[in-house]
Amino acid sequence: MLAGGGARGAYEVGALLALAPALAARGETPDIVVGTSIGALNGAFFAARADEPLEAVAAAALEMWRELRWGDAVRPLVSSSELGRMLGAAAMLAGLRRPGVPGLLDSSPLRDTLGRLVAFERIARNVEDGTLTAAAVVATAYATTRSVVFHHGGPTLGPDAARAIDYFATSLGPEHVLASAAIPGAFPAVEIRRPRAAAGWYGDGGVRLNAPLKPALALGADRVVVIGLNSSVTLAQASARPDALDGVAQLLQVVLADELADDVATLATVNETLAPTASSARLTGAGRRRRRTIPYIFVAPNDRFEIGRIARAVHKRHYGGIAGLVRDSNLALFGRFVNAERSAVHGELLSYLFLAREFVDELVSLGRRDAERWLDTQHDDGPWQIGPLPAGTTSRAVVRD
């Protein structure tokens, strides 16, 4: 399972680079791939190449991320189209224009980029020939605010009323991935037309379901690898009055990140409750199912704002001043717009669209390091954990900036 946001998806690739050899040594290969937000792009990339060794696909994903640039995802900030968007937003606020602005940024280049990077017909082939049991992405329906899982393969699933999740079987296409990664407000909503029963407008899957644990289990997973971008920590009282962008960053943290660690902790608690005993391991009657636990691997940064601090430092070092504008005007200007050098919280906002080679390399190194820390920790069955997270896996330290 892959869950992330924007350029931060490079962290997932770093983690998989470390995990792949350990899983291969045990003869274990993922056969269900579920992604949400930018994890949907990574998930589609891995699902399309599921017939290749996981280590080779992770290496290819690394090269993919190193080659991505601002223009592969978003139109230039200094352009007629973006100027028109800004003027349209101003006119709307002034009451001079009734039609809304679809999004603050024009993400139309991402469709062509996705078509170049992911062979969607290979996803269908890998499911149909049994290489994959299922591939899925999660998006949020604007009409209902419910999470919608578009999946190819796996069982027929009805609505999950408790978690507000709907399931629709369909072959995956670019529109499903684009919808899952459409950050609300920043990127326009994406129209999905198939399957017909799910037709409508969709946005980022992380709004309601950043950690797609439930869909992965519903699709048949009996163990899960969870790669996220944030662990839960306690934030110290701000030393200065938070500004508007601090509020936006905190909202994105709550909506797109904080649920992940909580869901993994819940899974561990359920596992501990269902741990087999001499009596519970036996079938206890006709029609009853054997209880089962779900071993898991959970890789995420120890520090909630570690990625924001990295983004802040990289921007200051490489994209500050006149030299930064010459190096890449879009990255330099966007960093100035979110005032990235003010704090790690502002750096978090930058990190969602910071498609800089220097930042990608830092995130890959961080993901690899965190995955290696997991592998170096003693678990219940090799790299697999069943009970609560081992001490030191997630941080509860106070963060100051």
Side-chain angles (χ1 to χ4, degrees):
M1 293 186 343
L2 304 169
R8 298 145 64 92
Y11 175 92
E12 298 170 345
V13 173
L16 286 169
L17 284 167
L19 293 175
L23 294 175
R26 295 170 58 92
E28 296 170 334
T29 302
D31 64 348
I32 296 176
V33 179
V34 184
T36 186
S37 196
I38 199 61
L41 188 155
N42 278 337
F45 185 89
F46 277 84
R49 305 179 68 158
D51 54 325
E52 303 174 35
L54 182 59
E55 294 178 74
V57 182
L62 171 61
E63 293 308 309
M64 172 190 75
W65 275 100
R66 284 178 166 170
E67 293 173 4
L68 286 176
R69 296 294 180 266
W70 177 279
D72 293 315
V74 185
R75 291 201 181 278
L77 288 174
V78 181
S79 64
S80 57
S81 63
E82 280 305 316
L83 177 60
R85 284 171 182 269
M86 294 302 105
L87 291 175
M92 183 182 66
L93 291 173
L96 302 176
R97 179 180 176 182
R98 289 194 177 278
V101 177
L104 295 178
L105 298 171
D106 183 351
S107 60
S108 55
L110 188 55
R111 180 176 289 272
D112 290 338
T113 300
L114 188 60
R116 171 170 52 86
L117 296 175
V118 178
F120 283 90
E121 68 278 4
R122 289 185 62 183
I123 298 178
R125 185 168 68 245
N126 285 333
V127 172
E128 289 160 8
D129 69 13
T131 300
L132 283 176
T133 298
V137 300
V138 183
T140 303
Y142 274 94
T144 64
T145 72
R146 291 171 65 90
S147 297
V148 176
V149 179
F150 297 99
H151 64 98
H152 191 170
T156 300
L157 298 167
D160 182 337
R163 296 296 298 270
I165 303 172
D166 295 318
Y167 294 87
F168 291 96
T170 184
S171 57
L172 297 182
E175 65 276 15
H176 301 107
V177 174
L178 291 170
S180 183
I183 301 172
F187 290 172
V190 175
E191 185 178 17
I192 290 179
R193 298 180 179 179
R194 60 180 179 86
R196 184 174 297 180
W201 294 94
Y202 288 83
D204 198 303
V207 171
R208 286 291 299 265
L209 196 64
N210 180 257
L213 265 173
K214 187 64 168 62
L217 298 178
L219 289 170
D222 56 15
R223 58 184 59 210
V224 292
V225 177
V226 183
I227 302 176
L229 297 175
N230 294 86
S231 290
S232 180
V233 301
T234 302
L235 183 65
Q237 184 175 357
S239 57
R241 182 179 181 178
D243 61 16
L245 290 178
D246 287 320
V248 174
Q250 293 281 16
L251 179 62
L252 286 174
Q253 284 284 328
V254 171
V255 171
L256 300 181
D258 284 355
E259 182 184 354
L260 182 62
D262 291 340
D263 277 6
V264 173
T266 299
L267 173 64
T269 300
V270 172
N271 279 346
E272 195 170 34
T273 302
L274 296 181
T277 63
S279 58
S280 67
R282 297 192 303 270
L283 289 175
T284 55
R288 293 191 181 183
R289 292 168 47 186
R290 192 188 306 269
R291 293 181 177 183
R292 63 176 184 141
T293 57
I294 305 295
Y296 65 92
I297 293 172
F298 176 45
V299 178
N302 253 10
D303 181 335
R304 186 181 199 178
F305 291 106
E306 189 163 11
I307 290 177
R309 270 196 292 275
I310 292 173
R312 175 192 184 192
V314 170
H315 188 273
K316 183 176 183 179
R317 187 163 60 246
H318 296 284
Y319 297 92
I322 300 299
L325 287 167
V326 173
R327 184 189 296 268
D328 190 311
S329 60
N330 292 301
L331 297 178
L333 289 172
F334 185 68
R336 286 162 172 74
F337 175 74
V338 300
N339 196 11
E341 295 180 19
R342 180 178 187 269
S343 68
V345 177
H346 284 236
E348 286 287 315
L349 285 178
L350 171 65
S351 70
Y352 285 89
L353 290 173
F354 198 13
L355 286 168
R357 170 68 179 268
E358 301 89 351
F359 181 55
V360 166
D361 285 344
E362 291 273 5
L363 285 190
V364 168
S365 296
L366 178 64
R368 189 193 293 265
R369 185 201 72 192
D370 289 340
E372 289 172 348
R373 184 179 68 243
W374 177 274
L375 293 172
D376 290 340
T377 303
Q378 183 174 352
H379 297 288
D380 298 316
D381 177 20
W384 299 99
Q385 183 72 8
I386 296 174
L389 290 167
T393 301
T394 55
S395 172
R396 288 285 173 181
V398 172
V399 174
R400 301 183 185 276
D401 185 67

